[in-house]
Amino acid sequence: MAIKKRESRTATPPPAPNDQDAVARKAEEFGKGGYAPEVVEVPLNPNDPVGPQGILFRFNDYQKQLLKESAEADRRSQQKLLESIIWPELERRKTERNQ
């Protein structure tokens, strides 16, 4: 079975430096190439179910120990401690931004 070669695309010549329409066309053509993902804003709903998601959280040894000790002092898991701090803070910041 023979392998078919791809058809080569003809390259458009570079636009003249003072040809603004050609520059705009090239920019639009580049944008359609799929290099940048299209972002679709989805309204946030706090009642939506949460799926299995993992978020990496960087910290050093001191911060790791601090988190461990704080969770033990509060008698809850590290995950629940972080959630109780992070989500109210993010809600507060969102409220401030929207005022």
Side-chain angles (χ1 to χ4, degrees):
M1 183 173 167
I3 298 175
K4 293 182 181 179
K5 292 184 179 180
R6 291 185 190 178
E7 293 180 19
S8 62
R9 292 178 21 180
T10 57
T12 56
N18 57 358
D19 186 1
Q20 293 300 318
D21 290 337
V23 172
R25 281 193 303 275
K26 287 298 285 182
E28 186 176 331
E29 180 181 320
F30 178 78
K32 291 179 182 175
Y35 295 103
E38 185 176 324
V39 177
V40 178
E41 291 228 4
V42 178
L44 298 176
N45 182 356
N47 299 320
D48 282 347
V50 177
Q53 299 172 346
I55 297 176
L56 297 177
F57 200 86
R58 295 185 198 141
F59 47 81
N60 59 31
D61 290 337
Y62 169 75
Q63 292 167 331
K64 182 178 182 178
Q65 186 64 30
L66 181 63
L67 176 60
K68 181 181 177 185
E69 291 173 4
S70 298
E72 288 173 357
D74 284 2
R75 300 182 65 200
R76 56 180 149 172
S77 70
Q78 295 176 8
Q79 178 75 29
K80 287 185 179 181
L81 175 63
L82 289 172
E83 289 173 353
S84 71
I85 296 168
I86 291 171
W87 299 124
E89 177 63 17
L90 292 177
E91 288 288 336
R92 183 189 65 77
R93 289 180 183 190
K94 181 181 178 187
T95 303
E96 285 180 1
R97 278 194 313 266
N98 293 334
Q99 288 181 352

